Every structure is written in C-alpha cells, then in structure tokens.
Amino acid sequence: MSEILDIAAVLSRLLKAENILLICHKNPDGDTVGSAAALYWMLKALGKKAAILCSDEIPARYEYMQIELFEGQFEPKYKVAVDVAGIQLFGDGIAEYTKEINLCIDHHPSNPGYADGLLLDGDAAATAEIIYELIVLSGVEITPMIADCLYTGLSTDTGCFKFANTTARTHEIAAKLILAGANLIKLNTILFESKSRSRLAIERIALEHLEYFMDGRCAFICLTKEEIAESGAESSDLEGITSMPRMIEGVEVGITIRQQPTGSYKVSVRTVPGVDAAAICAHLGGGGHKQAAGCEILGSLDNAKSALLTEVEKALCTES
Amino acid sequence: MSEILDIAAVLSRLLKAENILLICHKNPDGDTVGSAAALYWMLKALGKKAAILCSDEIPARYEYMQIELFEGQFEPKYKVAVDVAGIQLFGDGIAEYTKEINLCIDHHPSNPGYADGLLLDGDAAATAEIIYELIVLSGVEITPMIADCLYTGLSTDTGCFKFANTTARTHEIAAKLILAGANLIKLNTILFESKSRSRLAIERIALEHLEYFMDGRCAFICLTKEEIAESGAESSDLEGITSMPRMIEGVEVGITIRQQPTGSYKVSVRTVPGVDAAAICAHLGGGGHKQAAGCEILGSLDNAKSALLTEVEKALCTES
C-alpha cells in the first residue's frame, strides 16, 4: 500500500527530486496528457529535468502542449504516474520504467495504491484539478501554456462540463485558467468540435440500423463485424456510438450491439434514471452500473436481440 | 432611444413596479426562458405579481422551471423584455402587450434600444449572467429553482461552455449556481444529451449524402426539400446540421445546401480560421461572418454546387 500524501508533501518531494519521468496511462486521454504536461511545465519552471512517457502514441490533436517525450535524454531518478488508476493501465513496452513508481497523482477512487506515495482525490472531476492546486501551491506562474494543459484535462474528463462529475470547483478552476490565458476557442474547437471520418462513417451505419421497440421506449442499434471493419472505426469511435440510442427523445433504454471479430455480440445498455441497466445485463451474464451496463451474447443475432428485448420489457414494467 | 440603465437602477424600478409582465423572444431558447423564469421567481420572492408571455409555445423540456404563463390573470402595468434583441423578435399575436416596453434586459450588442429603459451587457455570454447579478443585488436568495433557471440560460447560450462567448465570469457564475443547488445532472441530460427523432432522421440523411472534395478539405451535404419534409425536421434541427461537415477532421470548409420549399437552395458555409466564409458567399450574393456565412442560389443543384466549389477552391488557394 502507498503512503497517503497531501499536496504539500507531494510538492516537497517534487522539489527534492531530479530527472523526473512523468508517466501517462495507455490509450492516453486529455486528462492524463494535460495533467502530465502541466506538471512537466511546472517542473521546467523550477529548473528540473523532466519528460513524459506513454506506452501509446500521444494523439496529434494534443500537439499544442508541446510535450517533451522521454527518449533516454536522462537517467530517470523519480517516477510519477499521472492519472493512472492501476498498473495494468501502464500498457506494454515500458515495463522497465514502471516497476517502481515513486509517486502517483490520481482522481480514480479505485486506485489500489501501487506507488510509494499516493496523492488521491476521488472528488476531483479530473486529475488536472489536483495538478492545478499543486502548481498554485508551488508558486509557479500559471502561464497560458500551463492553463491550456490543465483546461484540456478538466474539459475532456467532464465532457466539456457536462458529465455528472462536474462540480463547482471544476468551474472555479476553469475560470482561473481562462483568466490565466487558456485559449478557449482553439481548445474547444480541437477537443469538442471535431470528429474523425471513421467516426462519421460508423454513425451513418448506426443511424441506418436504428430500430425502435416498445412504443419508442427502447432504441436499438446493431453493427456487424463487417460494417465495423468497413467504416474503419476505432474502439473510441465505437464507445461514442453507445450513447446515441439513449439520447433520443422518449427513449428509456438504448442498446448497442457490436459483433466482435470472433462472432460473439458485445452489448452496451444505457438507461435513464429509474431503469436499471445492470439488472437487464445481469440476466444475460453481464453487469455494470445502474445507467450503463454491458454483456456478451453468443449465438445468432436474432436470439441475442430477442433475449435482450425480453429483459428490457421486464425492466420497463418494474420501473421505479 | 432607450435610457441606459445599470443594474442598481433596474432593481430600483422593479422594486417599485407592480403586475409585471416578462416577455420572451419568439422561438424561445434556454436563455430567454431561463432568464425570464429566474426573474419571475425573484419577483415572486419580493411579493410581486408576475407572469411570462411568449408568442410561441415554451418547449416541454423546460417544464422544470415551473413557468407561470400570462393568461390575463392580472392587468400588466410594467413590461419587461428579456433577451429580446429587437421588436421583430416578439413574434406574432402578442402586439397588444409589446407596443410600449418599460424595460429591456439583454446581452445582444445589436439591441437598438426599443424599450424605455435598457440594461445591456454585450460582454455577457447570456442574459442569465445579467439576471444573476441583479438577483444577487436584490438580496433574494438564489434557491435551487432560481439556480436551475439561470444555469439553463448560461449553459444553453454557450453550448455548455463550449462556444467562443464563454468567459471566466460564465464559469464563475456556473460555480455559484452549483453551490446554490442547481441540479446539474438533470439539466445537462435534458439540455445536452437528448435529440429528437426528427433530428436523428435528418442526420442520417445528411450523413448518407456527405461528399468530400479537394482532398477532403471541403465537405458537402445537400438535402432536398422532399428529404427535409420526410424527416419531419424542424428549423432548429436543420440549423444543427450545418455545423456537421466542418467538424470533420481535415475539413476546412463545410457546406450544407438545403433546398427550400420554393425550390431555391439555401447555402450555409462554415470554415476554420484562416478561410473566409463571408468571401466565399459574397461572390454568390450572400454574406455573413468570417467563419459562418450563407447565400441563396437559384437554378439547378448541379449549377449551385459547381458555383460554390469554384469559390471554395479560390478561398483555399488564398488561405491566410
């Protein structure tokens, strides 16, 4: 188990540290990249050597953070995991650097405490909120660059202040970052106003397959493995699709079925409050949360569909 | 021309007023409804008679604001236009109430000053920002209901804090409203996570017609009048579609062509910074802003398309 640290203790350790390696989680998102980049710029302002390591490539849309990737330019002496909820999220190919982690800064309550020291704030909407407090405490100026990095973390982890994790503090920090020079227009365009061609291609197929059941209370999208392959959609594109059917006016249960390369069907169930998604999936060997759950079904698509619809019908009858 | 008022002067007039009619603009959006509703609840807390009037029906999704519509329950003695940028926006059928407006509270810089007194803050992202300051000054408690109303105005006029009008103040007020009890999860679900079936139907048709030109730098969507009629899409659905083609990765000019019931083509051009949308449209008899412009083209679709593509090609060649 990790030693639990507060922000002051973390700052004191970082001030003593040299040659600092900042490690992001695999499939890097805006929060792990933005938080690590903000920390990087803070450490540079303090005269430290630092660089960022990630098992996967950092998406090109984040290039404005001018990230210095670790490429052996120094011998790492202090390793910090940023927004990495568990060691399985370090990804492949960087094991020589992730065996002993000195410090972890995270906001996932499930973090098991794999690092020597842990700064965890499960109420923070994003790790970027914690890094913001840390930089303020350090006395390092929040430059427009640091503001851009932190805004990226804050806004992407909250779906641009839309998700349920958004708090008053999230908005308060966003205000400070704007005053510090965050380039809102540029960032919001890059982060929230662009879609890949493959994402649009799979959206088109999804909309063509959209079916309504139970007087429009259940919406259903099914994608075959051939359609997924043809669209070129990546897993993040497909994740985005799963929220579509539930968003339709009047729909209480939105279901997305994606055929896997092996032929089985991966089912995502999204519900409005009052309808239990986990219960629907539990009867089919799956599980999850009240409003978002999943399961995997073998056999034919028709069987998968009718098994699901039976469970949905039951759930809608017992609606609380 | 109106007498220009500050917030204190407006409060003093409202404190003296009785039987107050709050008037929204036609095609009511979240800001005009949320601002008027917040003002209504403030006036009720001050013991005033007040009610809300709008030429169009208030959309059902705003029912949580528990709006009291004006139905002749008192003789209006003081009329306040809320978020109404010009008299043409009062709409039809309420002329007997809109001839003499005592007070207008607005954030549109173009407001010509049609009311006796005008409180205008062109830097406010939403009229709700101004109403927030007014309620704070009045000493009326920001109840969870008032917080919900103001959050509705703030978030809808900024596309959930995504549009270029969002400022530090917008986020600061959002933070205060959350602390005052705004029901974020409910509101964000209603306001930003739901789409009408007709919106999805027109999105499907739009995606089927999506074409790329100039190595993917220009994306094109064309909708015939039959398709628009068949989808059941309303004008707000169609407005949403116009931002789609420009959002695609790599696209610099996104064009949406909608055939009008008369047969002419209404063209919406959206561009990335550096490409002048107004210039593209100016050559075709239209105009607008640098990143969003429009024009109307008569004749055949093929002619409209080729005329537009010629202008797009010129604009992309002279890109700044």
Side-chain angles (χ1 to χ4, degrees):
Chain A
M1 283 297 294
S2 304
E3 183 184 353
I4 302 302
L5 304 175
D6 64 13
I7 289 189
V10 163
L11 179 61
S12 133
R13 290 187 186 201
L14 287 172
L15 289 173
K16 281 181 218 138
E18 293 298 338
N19 294 8
I20 302 164
L21 190 62
L22 305 169
I23 309 174
C24 296
H25 64 68
K26 66 179 182 180
N27 302 319
D29 61 12
D31 194 25
T32 195
V33 174
S35 294
L39 198 48
Y40 167 83
W41 288 110
M42 174 189 118
L43 294 168
K44 295 305 275 187
L46 292 167
K48 307 279 182 188
K49 273 189 196 155
I52 292 172
L53 180 66
C54 183
S55 63
D56 294 314
E57 207 177 328
I58 308 285
R61 65 178 171 279
Y62 297 132
E63 66 183 359
Y64 56 85
M65 294 190 243
Q66 297 180 23
I67 281 169
E68 180 183 347
L69 287 176
F70 179 71
E71 290 166 324
Q73 59 270 56
F74 55 73
E75 184 61 44
K77 289 187 190 153
Y78 197 79
K79 290 172 239 161
V80 185
V82 183
D83 194 47
V84 184
I87 52 169
Q88 75 284 6
L89 298 171
F90 281 124
D92 297 329
I94 60 168
E96 61 176 306
Y97 299 107
T98 58
K99 264 171 254 157
E100 282 169 29
I101 300 290
N102 301 96
L103 176 66
C104 172
I105 304 177
D106 191 18
H107 73 124
H108 297 95
S110 62
N111 192 303
Y114 56 82
D116 297 343
L118 173 64
L119 171 57
L120 178 71
D121 181 353
D123 294 327
T127 294
E129 285 191 11
I130 310 169
I131 304 288
Y132 170 79
E133 307 286 358
L134 180 68
I135 298 177
V136 169
L137 189 69
S138 77
V140 167
E141 186 197 345
I142 309 264
T143 59
M145 172 62 89
I146 290 179
D148 278 355
C149 298
L150 291 175
Y151 182 85
T152 301
L154 215 57
S155 63
T156 55
D157 251 27
T158 57
C160 205
F161 311 98
K162 209 169 55 199
F163 298 159
N165 59 344
T166 309
T167 67
R169 179 162 62 139
T170 316
H171 281 287
E172 281 162 10
I173 296 175
K176 304 275 191 202
L177 297 177
I178 294 169
L179 294 173
N183 191 339
L184 271 205
I185 299 177
K186 183 176 107 179
L187 296 181
N188 287 343
T189 303
I190 293 173
L191 301 171
F192 303 108
E193 306 247 287
S194 69
K195 285 188 181 186
S196 65
R197 286 170 75 149
S198 57
R199 166 68 188 259
L200 281 184
I202 197 74
E203 274 188 19
R204 181 178 64 77
I205 297 169
L207 287 172
E208 278 164 10
H209 289 342
L210 183 61
E211 285 180 279
Y212 296 99
F213 296 92
M214 298 160 210
D215 295 326
R217 297 172 72 192
C218 177
F220 220 101
I221 286 171
C222 185
L223 302 166
T224 66
K225 59 185 180 182
E226 290 79 14
E227 287 165 337
I228 294 170
E230 181 205 329
S231 72
E234 293 171 27
S235 68
S236 63
D237 297 326
L238 292 167
E239 280 309 316
I241 296 295
T242 61
S243 65
M244 276 176 57
R246 214 281 294 127
M247 281 176 67
I248 304 164
E249 236 165 17
V251 169
E252 296 169 66
V253 182
I255 295 183
T256 312
I257 300 189
R258 295 175 266 167
Q259 193 181 24
Q260 301 301 100
T262 56
S264 71
Y265 294 95
K266 189 172 172 180
V267 178
S268 302
V269 177
R270 300 287 181 271
T271 58
V272 296
V275 183
D276 190 344
I280 292 171
C281 293
H283 292 108
L284 299 162
H289 306 280
K290 287 225 159 188
Q291 262 65 71
C295 59
E296 195 157 347
I297 299 184
L298 299 167
S300 80
L301 177 58
D302 281 348
N303 288 346
K305 254 173 98 165
S306 72
L308 268 161
L309 287 173
T310 305
E311 294 305 325
V312 171
E313 210 143 30
K314 279 194 240 166
L316 287 177
C317 285
T318 61
E319 196 168 343
S320 59
Chain B
M1 281 297 295
S2 305
E3 182 185 354
I4 302 301
L5 305 174
D6 63 12
I7 287 188
V10 164
L11 179 61
S12 134
R13 291 188 185 203
L14 287 172
L15 289 174
K16 280 181 219 137
E18 293 299 337
N19 294 8
I20 303 166
L21 190 63
L22 305 169
I23 308 175
C24 297
H25 64 67
K26 67 179 182 180
N27 300 321
D29 62 10
D31 195 24
T32 195
V33 175
S35 294
L39 197 48
Y40 167 82
W41 288 110
M42 175 190 115
L43 294 168
K44 294 306 274 186
L46 292 167
K48 306 277 182 191
K49 274 189 196 154
I52 293 172
L53 181 67
C54 183
S55 64
D56 293 314
E57 207 177 329
I58 308 286
R61 64 177 171 281
Y62 297 131
E63 66 182 358
Y64 56 86
M65 294 189 243
Q66 297 179 23
I67 282 171
E68 180 183 347
L69 286 177
F70 179 71
E71 291 165 325
Q73 59 269 58
F74 55 77
E75 186 60 46
K77 291 187 187 152
Y78 196 80
K79 289 172 237 160
V80 185
V82 183
D83 194 48
V84 184
I87 51 168
Q88 74 285 5
L89 297 172
F90 282 124
D92 298 329
I94 60 168
E96 62 176 307
Y97 299 108
T98 58
K99 265 172 249 154
E100 283 170 28
I101 300 290
N102 302 93
L103 176 66
C104 172
I105 305 178
D106 192 17
H107 74 124
H108 297 96
S110 62
N111 192 303
Y114 56 82
D116 298 342
L118 174 64
L119 171 58
L120 179 72
D121 180 353
D123 294 328
T127 294
E129 285 190 11
I130 310 169
I131 304 288
Y132 170 80
E133 306 287 355
L134 180 68
I135 299 177
V136 168
L137 189 68
S138 77
V140 167
E141 185 198 345
I142 308 262
T143 59
M145 173 62 90
I146 291 180
D148 278 356
C149 298
L150 292 173
Y151 182 86
T152 300
L154 215 59
S155 63
T156 54
D157 251 28
T158 58
C160 205
F161 311 97
K162 210 169 54 200
F163 298 161
N165 59 344
T166 310
T167 66
R169 181 163 60 140
T170 317
H171 280 288
E172 281 161 9
I173 296 174
K176 305 274 192 204
L177 297 176
I178 295 169
L179 292 173
N183 192 341
L184 270 205
I185 299 178
K186 185 177 107 178
L187 296 180
N188 286 342
T189 303
I190 292 172
L191 302 170
F192 304 108
E193 307 247 287
S194 67
K195 285 189 182 186
S196 66
R197 284 169 76 149
S198 56
R199 166 68 187 260
L200 280 184
I202 197 73
E203 274 189 20
R204 181 179 64 78
I205 297 169
L207 286 172
E208 277 165 10
H209 289 341
L210 183 62
E211 285 180 281
Y212 297 98
F213 296 93
M214 299 159 208
D215 295 327
R217 296 173 73 192
C218 177
F220 220 100
I221 286 171
C222 185
L223 301 166
T224 66
K225 59 184 178 183
E226 289 80 14
E227 287 165 337
I228 293 170
E230 180 205 330
S231 73
E234 296 170 24
S235 69
S236 62
D237 297 327
L238 293 166
E239 280 308 315
I241 296 293
T242 61
S243 64
M244 276 176 56
R246 214 280 295 127
M247 280 176 67
I248 304 165
E249 236 165 20
V251 169
E252 295 168 66
V253 182
I255 295 182
T256 311
I257 301 190
R258 293 175 267 167
Q259 193 181 25
Q260 301 300 99
T262 56
S264 71
Y265 294 95
K266 186 171 174 184
V267 179
S268 301
V269 177
R270 301 286 180 272
T271 58
V272 297
V275 184
D276 191 343
I280 292 171
C281 293
H283 292 108
L284 299 162
H289 306 280
K290 287 225 159 186
Q291 264 65 73
C295 59
E296 194 156 347
I297 300 184
L298 299 166
S300 79
L301 177 59
D302 280 349
N303 287 346
K305 253 172 97 164
S306 74
L308 268 161
L309 287 172
T310 305
E311 294 306 325
V312 171
E313 207 144 31
K314 279 195 240 164
L316 287 177
C317 285
T318 61
E319 194 169 345
S320 61

